[in-house]
Amino acid sequence: MKIVSVVGARPQFVKLGMMARAFGRAAQTAGDVQHVIVHTGQHYDRSLSDVFFDELELPSPDVNLGVGSGPHGAQTGAMLRGLEDAFVKLEPDLVLAYGDTNTTLASALAAVKLHTPVGHIEAGLRSHNKQMPEEVNRIVSDHVSTLLFCPTRKAVDNLCEEGFGSPLLGGRLVPIGSLRPETRATADRPWVVNVGDVMYDSVLFHRERASTRTRVLEDLGLAGSPYGVLTVHRAENTDDPTRLREIFSGAASVVRSGLPVVCPLHPRTKGVLAQHVARELTDLVRIIEPASYYEMLTLLANARLVLTDSGGVQREAYMLGVDCVTLRDETEWVELLETGRNRLAGARAAEIVASAEALLHRAPPVRIDPLYGDGNAADRIVEVCVEWGSLG
Ligand code: UD1
């Protein structure tokens, strides 16, 4: 069975890290499983791409389309064309699409048009805001997929509300080795399956080695002292000067109140920051180059507070026991809000400061509820793929 993973952006490389390991294990036990990696080239800077392949010890991509940046239509169109050619040559039995980026959308669409089944990792998430490119990407990807791998129970429920049939095992986390479905899923009769979050697998697997393999805290002079981490890269924040200004104004107030804030800056944000935000605000925040995965895990794990508009960083903060202010008006990861350790502040400086203060006045969490599975999501996904393949 040939399975092609399509990746292109930072968070997809992280998930691929665990999937590639799980496919390696399956090749030894389940036999005939061939895993092929296609990189669209959506992210191409060394700091956003190669560094992740190196740290996560990922095999080099079998194909790199080198598509690069561009407006949504041009970028997605170039990927569709390149992926169609790649799939025609590779003849996969299944294409795996990851997350909610333009790479996800292109891989799902290119595959389904060739009648190649799609498995979507991180299926079922909804922000209920179609202004977000990611929301459109994930809805379309889900609705053309054959295997929908949900990271949470809430994601399963979202799909049920959209008319997907009954989830496997009633939407419960599928115990490894227990799945024995009798009818094969198709794009018209897909399987919805709760597998847990591959990002959680990754945090568990890498957190210790991250701390021993980077000196980011020492290099930044942060070791042993409280600090906050800020990340901003969502189009809704970077492309709106008022929102961007409010976010940096809120972060600057947090710094003035005594908590230094370090900000690994995405190139998208770097490009507009000086134009839209006054130097007096950005100078208060310590801006650094984009962090590698190990640097980011280490920065997050030792932080007192995280401020972010990233879905991945919100979850990683929780998984590492750090409170988080979410710089968005809604989140797909609603279970985080229910814990009280994550607060939605939107892009309003006053709300950011109030949320930060509320969280800083609480003791850091002592116990983390397992919201995201049991750390075996990648093995579970591979097992479901193999079971599905065996019914063919
Ligand atoms: C993309 C995803 C977003 C994901 C994020 C992870 C979409 C619509 N968005 O956002 O969901 O959370 O990746 O980081 O797919 N750029 C560089 N070097 C690079 C890549 C990008 O300088 O290697 C700059 C370019 O100016 C580019 C801009 O960043 O135009 C945006 O890049 P793009 O890949 O379109 O979206 P991201 O903001 O990275």
Side-chain angles (χ1 to χ4, degrees):
M1 182 182 189
K2 187 191 276 184
I3 299 178
V4 171
S5 280
V6 183
V7 293
R10 253 184 332 190
Q12 293 165 330
F13 308 142
V14 174
K15 286 164 213 142
L16 179 67
M18 298 315 292
M19 292 301 300
R21 284 186 163 80
F23 275 116
R25 286 189 285 276
Q28 286 174 353
T29 53
D32 182 31
V33 182
Q34 189 190 352
H35 183 222
V36 177
I37 299 172
V38 175
H39 189 325
T40 59
Q42 176 170 352
H43 283 176
Y44 44 89
D45 280 0
R46 192 178 147 67
S47 62
L48 299 193
S49 180
D50 296 3
V51 162
F52 286 75
F53 277 80
D54 293 348
E55 268 187 359
L56 300 169
E57 294 167 355
L58 276 165
S60 296
D62 299 275
V63 179
N64 191 329
L65 302 177
V67 162
S69 300
H72 286 271
Q75 186 183 53
T76 311
M79 289 180 194
L80 275 172
R81 181 186 283 249
L83 286 170
E84 185 169 69
D85 287 348
F87 295 160
V88 166
K89 284 193 195 105
L90 291 166
E91 298 186 339
D93 297 296
L94 180 71
V95 166
L96 286 180
Y98 292 66
D100 56 16
T101 71
N102 288 347
T103 291
T104 318
L105 173 68
S107 51
L109 269 186
V112 76
K113 293 274 183 170
L114 291 168
H115 304 164
T116 303
V118 178
H120 184 201
I121 296 175
E122 268 186 23
L125 297 167
R126 297 292 181 265
S127 66
H128 303 289
N129 173 7
K130 291 200 186 90
Q131 300 274 312
M132 286 177 68
E134 290 84 1
E135 181 77 348
V136 176
N137 293 343
R138 51 173 97 94
I139 291 174
V140 176
S141 301
D142 282 344
H143 282 263
V144 299
S145 288
T146 290
L147 304 175
L148 291 106
F149 298 113
C150 299
T152 60
R153 178 64 208 225
K154 175 70 185 162
V156 172
D157 294 344
N158 287 338
L159 292 175
C160 292
E161 278 171 27
E162 287 176 21
F164 282 80
S166 307
L168 296 188
L169 291 192
R172 279 172 286 122
L173 194 67
V174 173
I176 297 262
S178 71
L179 194 69
R180 295 282 173 269
E182 283 163 15
T183 47
R184 196 176 205 236
T186 64
D188 294 305
R189 297 181 67 83
W191 288 349
V192 173
V193 40
N194 182 355
V195 291
D197 186 358
V198 182
M199 292 282 278
Y200 184 47
D201 300 12
S202 189
V203 167
L204 294 180
F205 185 81
H206 289 290
R207 64 179 294 176
E208 294 308 324
R209 68 183 70 196
S211 65
T212 58
R213 292 187 192 183
T214 159
R215 291 185 40 83
V216 64
L217 296 180
E218 292 76 10
D219 291 349
L220 294 172
L222 294 172
S225 56
Y227 62 90
V229 177
L230 167 68
T231 80
V232 191
H233 79 285
R234 292 264 175 205
E236 75 215 53
N237 287 330
T238 59
D239 297 358
D240 180 335
T242 308
R243 291 182 70 96
L244 197 60
R245 220 174 289 128
E246 286 283 310
I247 287 171
F248 274 86
S249 169
S253 296
V254 171
V255 177
R256 283 197 208 94
S257 71
L259 187 73
V261 171
V262 60
C263 174
L265 203 62
H266 187 290
R268 173 202 276 282
T269 320
K270 193 176 185 177
V272 291
L273 197 60
Q275 212 181 325
H276 297 314
V277 184
R279 274 286 293 276
E280 68 200 63
L281 295 181
T282 51
D283 280 355
L284 281 169
V285 174
R286 184 148 177 207
I287 290 170
I288 60 172
E289 291 300 308
S292 73
Y293 184 56
Y294 281 171
E295 288 169 347
M296 198 62 191
L297 278 186
T298 304
L299 278 172
L300 293 176
N302 293 280
R304 182 65 185 87
L305 186 71
V306 172
L307 307 122
T308 188
D309 61 3
S310 153
V313 175
Q314 280 175 63
R315 269 130 72 217
E316 285 165 344
Y318 179 77
M319 292 165 191
L320 293 163
V322 183
D323 289 342
C324 178
V325 178
T326 295
L327 308 169
R328 289 180 46 198
D329 299 323
E330 71 284 302
T331 178
E332 312 71 68
W333 306 96
V334 285
E335 59 287 331
L336 291 174
L337 303 179
E338 287 157 14
T339 68
R341 319 282 351 183
N342 183 314
R343 287 178 167 236
L344 274 188
R348 296 172 299 279
E351 195 62 40
I352 294 167
V353 174
S355 299
E357 275 175 6
L359 292 170
L360 287 168
H361 280 103
R362 296 179 65 172
V366 281
R367 198 175 64 89
I368 301 300
D369 290 329
L371 301 176
Y372 296 107
D374 60 2
N376 296 304
D379 282 319
R380 223 175 243 120
I381 290 169
V382 172
E383 188 178 278
V384 172
C385 293
V386 171
E387 278 294 327
W388 171 83
S390 70
L391 292 170

